[in-house]
């Protein structure tokens, strides 16, 4: 059976990973990157999140690098990353469902302006500010319809939102109006009472969300960022909120992370910040996914979430 080396989350988390793999893939040999004896035998597969600089040379000889993140931009940007080695992104049903749950919560929070309730509660203010608008009366638009985006879109359509999505190339997703390509972006943005960013961070998408970009949305739209902090020009986002271009934002990703205590985002009355928690599946669910990837690669198959270094995700 294949040999998997785990570097993700450092030496402290190894036992958690080992137990998780023991439950779902007892045949897989699982070793810690940090154990001295690991160095003597080459790995078949490596599970990583943010490898140290000096880990990269040893990654260049493995059959695949599997990332515990759905986003792999940090790996692709590392000058030492061995681009010839297959890189597989995190997937699996729990990862997708957690993201769908988070975006549903964030969208309904924006719809009902739940941030106002939190502010009122903090100082004991009872003010009745009911918002009589339902999910069915709300258009939600998702940028990025990959593995996570399409699952989120399908879920939101089931919840009752009117859903559209934007991606590079045309495709069909039941219950979702799909816009494809750069030219379709302005029309797509017009459909967004709430805009969800689930794009991968690439040189093409980094810095995409500027003040001008946001003015394409219907006035007073909401914004949810579950992509990457670097998609957003932060001063532009704050200006858009202050000017009423946006009515609220929920940010699970920001730049930098952790968000410094001095950041203006924390106390902004229209911003809800969550600490990059939208979608991290349990170790057992992640281990199950990783074991499936390894089994399929051992059979000579190509994993569905294999990164294309040309596309950058
Ligand atoms: C988290 O953002 C991830 O990439 O999974």
């Amino acid at each position: 059976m294949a040999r998997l080396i785990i570097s993700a989350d450092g030496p402290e988390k190894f036992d958690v990973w080992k137990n998780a793999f023991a439950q779902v893939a007892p045949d897989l040999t699982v070793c810690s990157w940090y154990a001295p004896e690991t160095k003597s035998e080459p790995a078949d597969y490596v599970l990583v999140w943010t490898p140290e600089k000096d880990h990269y040379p040893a990654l260049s000889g493995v059959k695949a690098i599997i990332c515990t993140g759905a986003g792999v931009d940090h790996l692709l940007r590392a000058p030492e990353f061995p681009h010839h080695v297959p890189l597989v992104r995190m997937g699996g049903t729990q990862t997708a469902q957690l993201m769908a749950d988070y975006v549903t919560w964030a969208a309904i929070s924006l719809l009902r302006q739940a941030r106002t309730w939190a502010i009122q509660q903090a100082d004991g203010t009872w003010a009745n500010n009911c918002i009589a608008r339902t999910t069915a009366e709300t258009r939600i638009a998702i940028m990025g319809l990959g593995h996570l985006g399409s699952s989120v879109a399908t879920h939101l359509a089931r919840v009752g939102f009117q859903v559209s999505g934007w991606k590079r190339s045309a495709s069909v997703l039941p219950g979702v109006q799909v816009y494809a390509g750069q030219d379709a972006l302005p029309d797509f943005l017009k459909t967004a009472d709430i805009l969800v960013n689930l794009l991968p961070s690439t040189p093409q998408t980094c810095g995409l969300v500027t003040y001008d970009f946001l003015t394409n949305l219907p006035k007073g739209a909401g914004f949810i960022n579950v992509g990457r902090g670097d998609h957003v020009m932060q001063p532009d986002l704050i200006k858009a909120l202050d000017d009423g271009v946006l009515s609220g934002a929920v940010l699970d990703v920001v730049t930098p992370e952790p968000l410094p205590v001095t950041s203006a985002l924390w106390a902004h009355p229209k911003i809800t910040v969550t600490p990059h928690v939208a979608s991290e599946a349990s170790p057992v669910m992640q281990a199950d996914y990783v074991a499936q990837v390894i089994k399929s690669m051992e059979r000579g198959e190509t994993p569905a979430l294999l990164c294309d270094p040309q596309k950058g995700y």
Side-chain angles (χ1 to χ4, degrees):
M1 188 48 184
R3 187 161 178 271
L4 169 70
I5 307 241
I6 299 190
S7 99
D9 308 324
E12 316 75 44
K13 270 286 281 295
F14 177 66
D15 283 345
V16 173
W17 282 117
K18 195 174 163 62
N19 291 337
F21 278 100
Q23 286 179 53
V24 295
D27 296 348
L28 191 65
T29 305
V30 176
C31 311
S32 167
W33 180 278
Y34 304 91
E37 63 276 14
T38 298
K39 303 223 162 35
S40 53
E41 257 189 82
D44 294 312
Y45 299 89
V46 181
L47 182 66
V48 304
W49 171 233
T50 47
E52 303 290 330
K53 246 175 177 256
D54 62 350
H55 290 181
Y56 284 100
L59 296 179
S60 71
V62 299
K63 291 185 190 169
I65 298 167
I66 306 171
C67 182
T68 57
V72 290
D73 44 291
H74 59 297
L75 296 173
L76 296 176
R77 278 183 197 140
E80 307 83 2
F81 188 78
H83 290 275
H84 62 281
V85 179
L87 171 62
V88 184
R89 294 180 279 128
M90 183 48 59
T93 50
Q94 197 188 41
T95 300
Q97 281 173 10
L98 285 167
M99 185 58 89
D101 286 350
Y102 178 95
V103 174
T104 306
W105 162 79
I108 294 177
S109 296
L110 287 170
L111 181 57
R112 301 294 289 270
Q113 296 183 2
R115 174 83 175 116
T116 314
W117 300 333
I119 292 168
Q120 289 178 185
Q121 183 168 346
D123 66 8
T125 301
W126 182 279
N128 181 319
N129 53 354
C130 287
I131 313 262
R133 181 178 192 174
T134 66
T135 51
E137 292 160 340
T138 305
R139 297 165 303 166
I140 190 159
I142 300 162
M143 293 199 288
L145 280 184
H147 171 66
L148 290 179
S150 48
S151 146
V152 168
T154 304
H155 185 76
L156 291 170
R158 268 202 303 268
V159 169
F161 285 99
Q162 300 170 39
V163 186
S164 57
W166 179 67
K167 63 198 288 269
R168 286 158 72 115
S169 50
S171 66
V172 175
L173 191 58
V176 178
Q177 186 173 3
V178 178
Y179 292 78
Q182 199 61 32
D183 292 348
L185 187 57
D187 283 343
F188 162 77
L189 291 175
K190 285 191 199 125
T191 71
D193 297 322
I194 296 174
L195 178 68
V196 180
N197 176 39
L198 247 170
L199 290 169
S201 173
T202 67
Q204 290 74 40
T205 63
C206 193
L208 178 73
V209 181
T210 60
Y211 185 86
D212 284 352
F213 176 93
L214 292 168
T215 58
N216 288 294
L217 301 169
K219 194 166 168 51
F223 177 61
I224 300 170
N225 194 8
V226 276
R228 283 288 182 261
D230 64 16
H231 286 127
V232 176
M233 305 306 285
Q234 237 171 61
D236 288 23
L237 175 71
I238 292 175
K239 179 168 156 45
L241 287 160
D242 291 343
D243 287 1
V245 169
L246 291 178
S247 58
V250 177
L251 310 175
D252 188 53
V253 287
V254 287
T255 304
E257 292 181 13
L259 187 63
V261 73
T262 50
S263 168
L265 299 181
W266 284 119
H268 196 288
K270 294 182 180 170
I271 297 178
T272 298
V273 176
T274 59
H276 205 141
V277 290
S279 164
E280 184 176 333
S282 70
V284 170
M285 289 302 187
Q286 292 193 57
D288 187 50
Y289 167 81
V290 170
Q292 299 307 328
V293 167
I294 292 175
K295 275 190 200 145
S296 74
M297 290 191 78
E298 290 292 298
R299 289 194 297 267
E301 295 163 12
T302 303
L305 300 183
L306 181 68
C307 169
D308 177 345
Q310 292 310 112
K311 288 187 179 161
Y313 58 90

